[in-house]
């Protein structure tokens, strides 16, 4: 069995004194794709913000590669190897795409930055022609590609994505998830939070359902594919009995 | 015609000096969203250090730029790391506490200057001749200060546009969360930016004291003038601040020539009030930030 890459144990977090998520525990292993889905207000984004150190933990601990990171600030967690695409993409609107991407690897030398840039452009070839364009002038889908590309420039072992399909046309969502599927083929683990459950579950190997700040369901794909997930999580009804065949 | 061109050049040269005065404040606001009420006192401190270097070490104000810049940079590091970044609270309450902190710093710096240099006005008699260019006659000191101010503004622009450190500063200004998600140590970028803005204020002081005498209590007036330029240009907007600085220089020079010295400053502030009513976001609003 693979060793734990990311481990959450009894995590509670929120805003002010009010906990929004309570007692969250799960383990992710190297190369795993995990989707966290749930309705609006379930606490999915709060969970990611706690994992990334945007908000402090009230209880519990977060471990990455066996090391407790629960007290580290966000930039330090990113430098440890967790790439992060926050909700709303948070690009640098007035900087060109090239700078947006290169800043994701600002701690590396010029040669390494160039190498990683080539890797990102191989994943999102559309960005090749947009390198000199200011990020604010891109479409939503292109901006999302830059946000993911910027996170990949840091050379992460775990990629954390918060609602990557928000505001995107279905065709663009399909294109984006196709690119993400290519990423997940290697050692890179991907943790994704989505309201677009269908897209996320087609992509992930495992799903967690959040509701009211707690994890209320989980499912392994185990080769069963999307219908199994969707049935488990109540997105689709299981047929009550076998459909009769016509004579 | 010669007079008109002379007035134009004088206005533009003063504009360069005003730009340098406002640039540090603008940079700090653009990145940290901090209105530094001690900005004028830092300009005064830079000027008075240059004054001491001139009188005790015989260093010309242009050569004093480097040590003044370095000293004020260190002072800025200490203020940002020791005071401003320790204010953890975010949102309007945090901004208010930061504002109060810089207000207190203004008094601390003014009194420190008073203890070291006393309360009398000081100036540096540097390049007091006239520069004759054909039919034009321009003050040498202003020409030198203006050239140095433009050079520093250009260096700052190139630093922000071309270097990786400069780009991280712009990234933090445009999206602090995006910068943190890129692994940029946002807190240290903010500290560095405050130190850079403080050093620029000090450099401005070293040049301005050659043109206008300072005393330890001159800070608040300079803060108001710098803040007016920043607000007129559009808070945090470098290009806007430059346009506002040139506008101030031209209005002052032309008003002084036509209406007398008392009208010069009043004319600019009248224009500023009109701008606040008609275009409160400033000349360039939110476009083209740091």
């Amino acid at each position: 069995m693979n060793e734990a890459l990311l481990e959450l144990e009894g995590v509670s977090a929120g805003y002010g004194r009010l906990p929004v998520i309570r007692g969250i525990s799960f383990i992710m292993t190297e190369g795993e794709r995990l989707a966290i889905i749930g309705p609006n207000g379930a606490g999915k984004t709060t969970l990611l913000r706690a994992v990334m150190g945007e908000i402090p933990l009230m209880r519990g601990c977060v471990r990455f590669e066996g090391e407790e990171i629960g007290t580290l600030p966000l930039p330090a967690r990113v430098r440890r190897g967790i790439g992060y695409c926050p909700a709303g993409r948070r690009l640098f609107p007035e900087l060109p795409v090239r700078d947006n991407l290169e800043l994701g690897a600002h701690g590396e030398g010029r040669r390494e930055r160039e190498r990683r840039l080539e890797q990102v452009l191989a994943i999102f070839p559309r960005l090749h022609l947009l390198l000199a364009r200011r990020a604010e002038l891109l479409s939503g889908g292109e901006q999302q590609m830059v946000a993911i590309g910027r996170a990949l420039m840091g050379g992460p072992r775990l990629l954390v994505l918060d609602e990557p399909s928000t505001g995107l046309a279905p065709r663009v969502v399909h294109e984006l998830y196709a690119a993400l599927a290519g990423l997940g083929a290697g050692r890179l683990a991907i943790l994704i939070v989505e309201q677009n459950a269908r897209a996320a579950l087609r992509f992930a190997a495992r799903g967690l359902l959040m509701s009211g700040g707690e994890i209320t369901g989980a499912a392994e794909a185990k080769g069963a594919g999307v219908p199994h997930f969707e049935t488990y999580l109540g997105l689709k009804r299981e047929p009550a009995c076998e459909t009769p065949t016509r004579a | 015609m010669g007079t008109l061109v002379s007035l134009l050049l004088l206005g533009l040269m003063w504009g360069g000096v005003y730009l340098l005065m406002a640039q540090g404040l603008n940079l700090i606001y653009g990145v940290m969203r901090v209105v530094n009420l001690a900005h004028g006192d830092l300009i005064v401190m830079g000027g008075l250090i240059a004054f001491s270097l001139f009188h005790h070490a015989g260093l010309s104000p242009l050569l004093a730029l480097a040590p003044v810049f370095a000293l004020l940079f260190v002072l800025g590091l200490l203020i940002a790391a020791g005071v401003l970044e320790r204010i953890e609270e975010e949102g309007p309450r945090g901004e208010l506490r930061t504002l109060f902190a810089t207000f207190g710093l203004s008094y601390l710096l003014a009194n420190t200057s008073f203890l070291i240099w006393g309360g009398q006005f000081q100036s540096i008699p540097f390049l007091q001749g006239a520069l004759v260019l054909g039919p034009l006659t321009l003050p040498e000191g202003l020409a030198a200060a203006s050239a140095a101010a433009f050079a520093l503004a250009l260096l700052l622009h190139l630093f922000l546009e071309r270097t990786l450190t400069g780009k991280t500063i712009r990234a933090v200004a445009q999206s602090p969360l995006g910068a943190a998600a890129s692994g940029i140590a946002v807190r240290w970028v903010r500290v560095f930016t405050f130190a850079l803005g403080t050093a620029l204020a000090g450099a401005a002081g070293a040049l301005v004291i050659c043109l206008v005498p300072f005393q330890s209590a001159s800070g608040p007036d300079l803060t108001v003038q710098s803040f007016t330029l920043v607000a007129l240009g559009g808070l945090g907007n470098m290009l806007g601040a430059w346009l506002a600085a040139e506008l101030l220089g031209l209005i002052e020079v032309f008003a002084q020539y036509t209406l007398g010295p008392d009208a010069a400053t009043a004319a600019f502030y009248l224009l500023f009030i009109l701008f606040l009513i008609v275009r409160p976001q400033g000349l360039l609003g939110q476009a083209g930030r740091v």
Side-chain angles (χ1 to χ4, degrees):
Chain A
M1 187 185 161
N2 285 340
E3 277 192 28
L5 182 70
L6 178 73
E7 191 176 356
L8 270 70
E9 199 177 307
V11 166
S12 297
Y15 307 96
R17 290 180 182 175
L18 186 72
V20 175
I21 56 169
R22 288 173 299 277
I24 305 283
S25 300
F26 64 82
I27 292 175
M28 277 187 79
T29 54
E30 190 179 89
E32 185 184 5
R33 298 183 209 165
L34 174 66
I36 296 176
I37 60 169
N40 217 352
K44 306 183 298 295
T45 292
T46 304
L47 171 61
L48 285 201
R49 295 186 75 192
V51 168
M52 294 309 301
E54 271 194 76
I55 54 171
L57 301 183
M58 290 171 171
R59 274 191 192 164
C61 65
V62 179
R63 281 188 282 272
F64 182 67
E65 295 181 326
E67 186 192 354
E68 166 68 49
I69 59 165
T71 55
L72 293 180
L74 167 57
R77 296 185 200 206
V78 172
R79 290 196 295 270
R80 296 280 160 118
I82 309 179
Y84 182 38
C85 293
R89 295 157 202 148
R90 308 293 178 152
L91 297 181
F92 312 123
E94 292 168 20
L95 296 185
V97 169
R98 175 185 282 275
D99 287 349
N100 266 277
L101 292 171
E102 286 198 351
L103 281 166
H106 68 282
E108 306 295 334
R110 180 183 292 269
R111 193 167 292 179
E112 181 60 19
R113 287 203 305 273
E114 286 296 328
R115 192 184 69 78
R116 291 188 187 178
L117 183 64
E118 286 306 317
Q119 287 178 342
V120 167
L121 293 176
I123 297 161
F124 299 114
R126 201 201 288 194
L127 296 182
H128 241 300
L129 295 173
L130 303 171
L131 283 175
R133 190 172 297 180
R134 282 155 60 134
E136 65 189 348
L137 301 176
L138 303 180
S139 70
E142 289 163 349
Q143 286 189 359
Q144 193 61 61
M145 288 173 196
V146 176
I148 295 171
R150 182 179 69 184
L152 291 172
M153 287 288 289
R157 266 96 62 207
L158 168 65
L159 182 62
V160 175
L161 303 168
D162 192 356
E163 308 262 10
S165 70
T166 300
L168 303 184
R171 185 183 55 79
V172 182
V173 174
H174 180 75
E175 192 182 337
L176 197 67
Y177 271 96
L180 287 175
L183 288 178
R187 291 176 59 199
L188 178 69
I190 299 177
L191 171 60
I192 195 163
V193 147
E194 267 287 12
Q195 273 197 65
N196 187 342
R198 215 167 280 272
L201 293 177
R202 277 196 191 100
F203 163 77
R206 190 157 67 102
L208 299 175
L209 180 66
M210 273 192 86
S211 177
E214 293 173 353
I215 290 176
T216 52
E220 300 280 346
K222 290 177 183 168
V226 179
H228 173 78
F229 261 151
E230 292 181 343
T231 305
Y232 185 90
L233 297 170
L235 296 170
K236 196 169 81 176
R237 273 196 187 163
E238 192 126 32
C241 55
E242 203 173 318
T243 314
T245 50
R246 280 187 192 173
Chain B
M1 186 63 187
T3 308
L4 184 67
V5 176
S6 284
L7 289 173
L8 265 174
L9 282 175
L10 278 174
L12 293 174
M13 287 195 289
W14 272 109
V17 176
Y18 291 144
L19 171 66
L20 189 58
M21 277 171 53
Q23 212 155 29
L25 187 73
N26 207 22
L27 182 68
I28 290 167
Y29 182 82
V31 174
M32 301 175 74
R33 295 291 180 264
V34 167
V35 177
N36 179 16
L37 294 179
H39 184 75
D41 302 280
L42 293 164
I43 294 176
V44 168
M45 194 162 260
L48 292 174
I49 292 172
F51 168 81
S52 291
L53 289 171
F54 180 78
H55 281 283
H56 298 112
L59 210 59
S60 93
L62 292 179
L63 290 177
L65 279 176
V68 168
F69 192 93
L71 279 172
L72 270 284
F73 186 88
V74 173
L75 180 63
L77 281 181
L78 294 173
I79 292 173
V83 181
L84 301 180
E85 286 300 317
R86 287 178 188 268
I87 298 171
E88 294 283 348
E89 219 164 357
E90 289 184 356
R93 284 182 67 178
E95 284 171 17
L96 193 63
R97 289 183 67 182
T98 310
L99 197 71
F100 282 140
T102 63
F103 186 60
L105 274 170
S106 167
Y107 274 90
L108 186 68
L109 291 170
N111 283 298
T112 307
S113 295
F114 182 79
L115 286 172
I116 300 172
W117 290 283
Q120 63 274 40
F121 278 94
Q122 311 283 10
S123 186
I124 301 178
F126 176 67
L127 291 177
Q128 293 188 306
L131 194 66
V132 181
L133 298 168
L136 305 175
T137 306
L138 300 165
E140 266 182 349
L142 177 60
S146 170
F150 277 120
L152 277 171
L154 182 66
L155 281 176
L156 177 67
H157 175 76
L158 291 175
F159 170 72
L160 290 173
E161 289 283 327
R162 302 279 171 87
T163 68
L164 196 59
T165 309
K167 286 172 185 173
T168 60
I169 290 176
R170 294 172 66 205
V172 171
Q174 290 175 28
S175 174
L177 176 55
S182 306
I184 294 170
V186 173
R187 186 164 281 220
W188 280 108
V189 171
R190 287 161 56 89
V191 168
F192 178 84
T193 304
F194 189 87
L196 185 59
T198 303
L200 285 168
L207 296 175
V208 175
I209 200 169
C210 304
L211 311 169
V212 182
F214 283 166
Q215 54 135 295
S216 51
S218 301
D221 287 347
L222 295 170
T223 301
V224 171
Q225 193 176 31
S226 302
F227 185 73
T228 308
L229 290 177
V230 170
L232 184 62
L235 290 168
N237 189 309
M238 286 295 188
L239 184 60
W242 179 61
L243 288 176
E246 293 300 354
L247 197 62
L248 170 61
L250 288 169
I251 287 173
E252 270 198 355
V253 167
F254 276 93
Q256 192 162 344
Y257 182 74
T258 52
L259 305 171
D262 292 339
T265 310
F268 176 73
Y269 283 103
L270 187 66
L271 181 83
F272 177 60
I273 291 167
L274 284 175
F275 246 92
L276 283 181
I277 296 166
V278 178
R279 195 176 163 77
Q281 74 271 37
L283 282 167
L284 297 186
Q286 279 297 305
R289 286 168 304 194
V290 178

